[in-house]
Amino acid sequence: MESANWDLIEARFKVINGGDSSAGYATGRPPGVEHLWPAIVDAYGAAEQAHLWPAQQLLDYGKSILDQLRPGMVYVGGTDNGRWIPELLNDTSDAERHIVVTQNGLADGTYRDYLTELYGERLVTLTQEDSDRIFQEYITDAQKRLQHDEQFPDEPKQVRPGEKLKMQDGHMQVSGMAGVMAINEKLLQALLEKNPHLSFAVQESFPMKGTYADAIPLGPLMELRAQNDQNTFTAERATQSLGYWRTTAANLLADPEAAGSTSALKSYSHDASSAANLLAAHNYTAEAEQAYRLSNQLWPGNPEPVGGLAAILARAGRADEARQMLDDFARNYPDQRSDIETFRGSILWTVPSAKPSN
């Protein structure tokens, strides 16, 4: 790491990771590595982002997140860039050192121990009992939904698109991003419940729709558990959120370095689509549509805004337009076809248009 030589960093990491250069689970790691793994992968993840991003764009992206955080606010980073760029800047700046966690690690006992080591005096972390309880609650619910779909094939499916459930030898097997993230979302909500005195801001890796009801936009992020009688998601906030993304997209596309960085454009496109998801969930449909279009403009190969926009169009009675949009994207980006089919399966094609709250 101190050499700043990416090829050397990657080669050493691959040895530590049992020959695998990905940051996910791998077999063949040397004995004892698992206990150190959260620190190792944090270092590697930050180095990888520094390798992928132009320096100024990396600083700008991290600053755009950290500058939104109020004193004492916990930051929850989801994607690789959303987790490790702010974490890198958070640990190396002279400003307040925020608590930085990722929802994607909360199911891992070693990661929870790591959080306790780092933030135990500031954050009440989850226990193994919490994790076991939440996992069992999800499995029980998933089993009921799977049985429903098997027993009543003509009724609307209760197993979610992208959620792969299978009974094997009397045990429920869960795979697929939707299933994994459903568990991660429940773990994050449990972490919030154990820390009622703290404010949380999140950058999603995957839509966590169960958190949307009391969330509000916070620049490129969402503040969770934010709404109360004095603090609501108003039409003015929706307009401000859209304005943020209009300005951000215009500045990025006008900057040759940013416009030439695949990593930057993909990252901002993802975050803009997450903002659109929140707007759509609160029935700010016009603002959501425009935010999805900005996300698509930033990175046309991103299936997320296409799926979100198609859902809005279908609800508005423009189902043919929505289907055509999905078909066109699948034809232009055949490697993303499975994502498009997941979106297609999640859209309620016959639901009437919802009345906007604004």
Side-chain angles (χ1 to χ4, degrees):
M1 293 295 297
E2 291 180 354
S3 74
N5 181 328
W6 171 248
D7 291 336
L8 180 60
I9 293 169
E10 187 175 35
R12 291 288 185 257
F13 179 83
K14 189 173 182 179
V15 171
I16 296 171
N17 200 30
D20 191 336
S21 61
S22 69
Y25 177 78
T27 59
R29 292 175 184 166
V33 165
E34 289 303 323
H35 295 290
L36 302 172
W37 187 249
I40 292 170
V41 78
D42 266 359
Y44 179 76
E48 183 178 43
Q49 294 304 310
H51 168 69
L52 292 173
W53 284 66
Q56 188 59 52
Q57 296 306 315
L58 180 143
L59 292 172
D60 289 347
Y61 182 80
K63 192 171 184 294
S64 72
I65 290 174
L66 293 178
D67 283 356
Q68 297 293 331
L69 304 181
R70 299 190 300 276
M73 181 172 267
V74 179
Y75 173 65
V76 184
T79 62
D80 287 356
N81 51 274
R83 173 182 177 180
W84 282 308
I85 292 177
E87 187 173 280
L88 173 63
L89 271 60
N90 185 58
D91 286 349
T92 56
S93 74
D94 295 329
E96 177 190 353
R97 185 165 181 261
H98 288 274
I99 296 172
V100 177
V101 305
T102 177
Q103 64 268 39
N104 301 334
L106 294 176
D108 181 352
T110 305
Y111 179 72
R112 295 193 301 270
D113 291 343
Y114 180 60
L115 293 183
T116 301
E117 178 71 22
L118 290 177
Y119 308 120
E121 295 182 355
R122 303 167 60 192
L123 180 76
V124 181
T125 54
L126 299 178
T127 65
Q128 186 61 49
E129 290 73 19
D130 293 326
S131 180
D132 291 344
R133 172 180 55 78
I134 288 166
F135 185 77
Q136 188 55 54
E137 288 173 356
Y138 172 80
I139 291 296
T140 300
D141 175 68
Q143 187 169 351
K144 290 178 180 177
R145 291 185 287 110
L146 179 62
Q147 289 174 344
H148 168 274
D149 291 356
E150 292 174 343
Q151 294 173 6
F152 307 99
D154 296 330
E155 294 186 5
K157 301 296 183 185
Q158 293 187 5
V159 174
R160 308 176 187 107
E163 186 181 34
K164 299 176 182 178
L165 307 176
K166 182 175 67 172
M167 292 298 297
Q168 185 171 342
D169 300 328
H171 298 284
M172 173 66 70
Q173 303 293 321
V174 181
S175 60
M177 184 61 74
V180 171
M181 287 306 302
I183 296 171
N184 289 346
E185 179 183 329
K186 290 179 179 296
L187 289 165
L188 176 59
Q189 290 176 325
L191 184 66
L192 266 67
E193 291 171 2
K194 297 190 79 167
N195 293 274
H197 59 295
L198 293 176
S199 298
F200 287 75
V202 66
Q203 185 259 0
E204 293 183 322
S205 57
F206 190 84
M208 296 187 293
K209 297 181 180 180
T211 67
Y212 288 175
D214 58 2
I216 59 174
L218 185 68
L221 311 173
M222 287 182 282
E223 182 177 354
L224 303 184
R225 200 173 55 188
Q227 292 200 63
N228 53 45
D229 292 341
Q230 289 76 39
N231 194 33
T232 59
F233 194 166
T234 62
E236 182 180 4
R237 286 188 190 275
T239 300
Q240 290 172 348
S241 179
L242 177 60
Y244 175 90
W245 284 109
R246 279 178 174 158
T247 301
T248 298
N251 290 342
L252 286 168
L253 296 175
D255 183 334
E257 185 179 64
S261 170
T262 298
S263 295
L265 293 178
K266 283 184 174 181
S267 299
Y268 283 103
S269 173
H270 169 81
D271 293 346
S273 187
S274 291
N277 291 341
L278 181 62
L279 289 164
H282 286 267
N283 289 328
Y284 292 111
T285 307
E287 291 84 354
E289 178 175 346
Q290 293 177 64
Y292 282 131
R293 294 191 186 279
L294 288 169
S295 172
N296 181 257
Q297 183 182 6
L298 286 167
W299 189 252
N302 183 359
E304 297 166 347
V306 176
L309 184 53
I312 284 179
L313 295 176
R315 288 200 301 271
R318 298 156 67 184
D320 290 343
E321 184 180 350
R323 290 190 178 95
Q324 187 63 55
M325 178 183 298
L326 295 173
D327 291 343
D328 290 346
F329 185 91
R331 183 175 61 256
N332 293 331
Y333 301 94
D335 58 324
Q336 308 267 26
R337 184 176 294 274
S338 62
D339 291 324
I340 289 300
E341 292 309 313
T342 298
F343 282 121
R344 195 190 303 273
S346 68
I347 293 173
L348 301 178
W349 296 98
T350 59
V351 173
S353 175
K355 292 183 179 181
S357 58
N358 56 334

